[in-house]
């Protein structure tokens, strides 16, 4: 249901555990849905120790493009499998 990249705190999110051993240091995150057609095929999760690195209201154009490129590459791989 993520229609645009989420940027903000990890507080209250289960996603902080996605960062493995580093999860206790992650204070802000960017979550980018990977899509193929209408469906979601994955997610990119970026984390930072800096609580202000990813924040609500920041520009997300670069993150959107990153998601589009990764989605296209992953979709090609999935078609070949």
């Amino acid at each position: 249901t993520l229609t645009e990249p989420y940027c903000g705190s990890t507080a209250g999110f289960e996603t902080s555990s996605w960062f493995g051993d580093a999860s206790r240091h992650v204070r802000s995150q960017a979550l980018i849905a990977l899509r193929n057609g209408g469906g979601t095929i994955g997610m990119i999760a970026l984390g930072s120790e800096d609580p202000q690195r990813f924040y609500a209201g920041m520009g997300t154009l670069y993150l959107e493009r990153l998601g589009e490129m990764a989605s296209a590459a992953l979709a090609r791989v999935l078609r070949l499998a």
Side-chain angles (χ1 to χ4, degrees):
T1 62
L2 192 61
T3 59
E4 59 187 42
Y6 166 81
C7 296
S9 171
T10 58
F13 280 87
E14 181 181 318
T15 56
S16 63
S17 66
W18 296 353
F19 299 104
D21 292 341
S23 64
R24 60 190 170 108
H25 302 288
V26 175
R27 299 291 178 256
S28 65
Q29 64 185 347
L31 304 174
I32 309 155
L34 302 178
R35 303 191 186 288
N36 185 12
T40 300
I41 57 174
M43 182 170 293
I44 296 174
L46 305 172
S48 176
E49 293 179 351
D50 179 356
Q52 295 301 312
R53 176 63 187 100
F54 301 110
Y55 56 90
M58 72 182 292
T60 59
L61 180 62
Y62 174 75
L63 298 175
E64 289 173 23
R65 296 298 174 256
L66 179 65
E68 290 169 1
M69 289 186 297
S71 294
L74 188 55
R76 282 192 301 273
V77 169
L78 292 174
R79 278 194 297 267
L80 296 175

